[in-house]
Amino acid sequence: MQDLDLGEVEEKDWKCATFKQMVDLTEKTDEVIKAWGEGNAASFKGNAAKIDEAVTNLLDLEKKARLGGDMKNTMRLALEILKLLATVEQYSKVVDCVELLMKRRAQAKSVQVALIKTAKHSIDSAPKDQSVSLIKRLRDICQGKLHVELEFAQLSVELSTIWENEGKIKDCADIMLDVQVETIGNMERVEKLKILLLQIRLNLDVKDYVRAAIMARKTTSRALSKPNSRLIKIKYYELMIRYYKHFDNYWYLAKCWMEIYQSVTDEETKKDLPDHPLVLNPGKALSSVLVYLMMSPSKVTRDREQTDCAAFSLWNKETDRLALLKKYGEEKLAEQIALYTEGSGSFLQKELIRWPEFVSVYGEMQKTHEIFAEKETCWQDLRQRVTEHNVRVIESHYNRISIARLAALIDLTPSETEDAVCKMVTDGDVWARCDRIDGIVTFKKNKSSTEVMHDMKVGVDHILSQVTSACHLIQKEYMMHGIKMR
């Protein structure tokens, strides 16, 4: 290839960036690198004038190679500058040169990516008192440039790790908000998930639950179910447990523990994570499932579930609380946690659960399960679910009952009983009307005249159909035995 003397080319010929190679400066590049490159760093160290001269010579040739379309030697020269400065421990100048070279005309994106990667690697060996400022400057250079968004994310994670060790949690959460992992096409899926977990955790640490929920919705059950994501899946649902505990959302807490339980009892997970605490003790996950199901409301709509979390598995879309209690109460490991299995089984029977007896038999749960130690109100919430169960049992047997009698059956005072029934009516759990003057609770809804007439019509139609069927059977018998009908 014929060399082109760039000094003879007019400036107007370089107004537009071009990647067509017009020169080959390989020999010149080899000479300059040999004379001024990283190999001479030992002789340059401590001599600022020599270092500046070396950088100037390398930059001059880099310009000729860049404008001549010689991308291979452009990259060699640009990276040689950074390596030279890093070897002589001029880390601040490393970032200065990166910023200079990134802004130069006709600079290829591949060269810019290589510059950021080399500078990122170089400042890893910088003193701790300089590393934070260098990472911040390098991160600012990357910000807003799509071709280095991967490096921008990695620098953000590195900076947040340093600040987290220093206790600057709020600053960590703020800088991680700028990272949009879902748009980074050249990032590995596992790395994306790890950054996503970091973002969720930091937002939970600063109690920003709105942003934590937004970050949590950026993944799916399919992404978490990959073979190399088993540990990430467990960590993800542990973070979601922290999120739902803040809102006392026992239904979704149970769902999260179901996901963890299914994961830790999987044979492949046992092989990959043999020393994980939950793999060694899956009974903890199963007991948590049963406890949170007992504390969950009786009715949960699918709409609420879909809007709150998108990472639950397809098998985990069941909304029937009693069906789930039965399913997990029949697991093989249920025998190891008989206290929780028998306690949850009480809700499957259409019988009254007397609270004093329940406490005497299953009160040990309050001491052994962590949720009751973390929050005292959780035990009261469990009692509320027992009360709701008892009211539903009574509603199936009584049309009308006095408040005093109802209070005696569910072990509450009359005023507490009235409040409990009113709350269940408001939630749509039962239909009831309270007559405070007479002290009567009515569970049977009064029918309108139209409904009464409809029921009568249905009853008459049913009787007539039975009579018709009987007549046909009688006629059949007559015909079979040859008897003439009168």
Side-chain angles (χ1 to χ4, degrees), residues 223-411:
L224 294 171
S225 300
K226 300 293 183 180
N228 56 350
S229 303
R230 293 189 176 94
L231 180 59
I232 293 175
K233 179 179 180 179
I234 295 174
K235 290 182 178 180
Y236 173 82
Y237 286 109
E238 286 176 343
L239 290 174
M240 295 309 297
I241 286 170
R242 286 182 57 188
Y243 171 77
Y244 288 122
K245 275 184 179 180
H246 173 73
F247 298 100
D248 292 335
N249 195 325
Y250 303 125
W251 176 253
Y252 289 114
L253 284 167
K255 290 279 187 177
C256 291
W257 277 110
M258 289 177 203
E259 295 281 357
I260 292 176
Y261 175 71
Q262 293 294 335
S263 181
V264 298
T265 54
D266 183 69
E267 293 299 326
E268 296 298 327
T269 305
K270 292 179 181 179
K271 294 178 182 178
D272 294 343
L273 307 171
D275 299 327
H276 194 279
L278 289 173
V279 174
L280 297 174
N281 183 23
K284 178 182 177 181
L286 183 58
S287 63
S288 297
V289 171
L290 295 174
V291 167
Y292 287 120
L293 283 175
M294 285 191 285
M295 297 167 62
S296 300
S298 60
K299 287 187 177 181
V300 179
T301 62
R302 187 172 293 275
D303 291 340
R304 285 172 53 189
E305 183 173 349
Q306 289 176 344
T307 54
D308 278 2
C309 185
F312 290 133
S313 303
L314 292 177
W315 58 263
N316 202 4
K317 299 296 184 181
E318 177 66 58
T319 58
D320 189 340
R321 170 174 167 262
L322 295 181
L324 290 172
L325 277 172
K326 182 178 180 181
K327 174 185 175 182
Y328 285 95
E330 295 174 352
E331 289 285 331
K332 293 181 180 179
L333 295 175
E335 298 178 357
Q336 302 177 12
I337 51 169
L339 179 68
Y340 298 93
T341 306
E342 294 172 4
S344 63
S346 303
F347 290 86
L348 300 175
Q349 307 297 325
K350 290 187 177 180
E351 298 177 359
L352 292 177
I353 303 175
R354 305 309 297 263
W355 180 249
E357 297 177 6
F358 185 87
V359 173
S360 63
V361 177
Y362 306 112
E364 190 66 22
M365 288 191 298
Q366 188 177 10
K367 300 177 182 178
T368 56
H369 200 275
E370 59 182 12
I371 184 62
F372 300 116
E374 293 174 2
K375 225 171 185 180
E376 297 179 358
T377 56
C378 291
W379 190 249
Q380 295 301 320
D381 292 336
L382 179 59
R383 181 174 185 180
Q384 183 179 346
R385 299 294 174 256
V386 171
T387 300
E388 292 172 357
H389 168 83
N390 290 337
V391 171
R392 284 192 295 272
V393 171
I394 293 171
E395 183 255 351
S396 65
H397 291 82
Y398 286 85
N399 291 336
R400 298 170 73 247
I401 188 174
S402 67
I403 293 179
R405 176 60 177 159
L406 180 59
L409 289 174
I410 63 177
D411 302 306

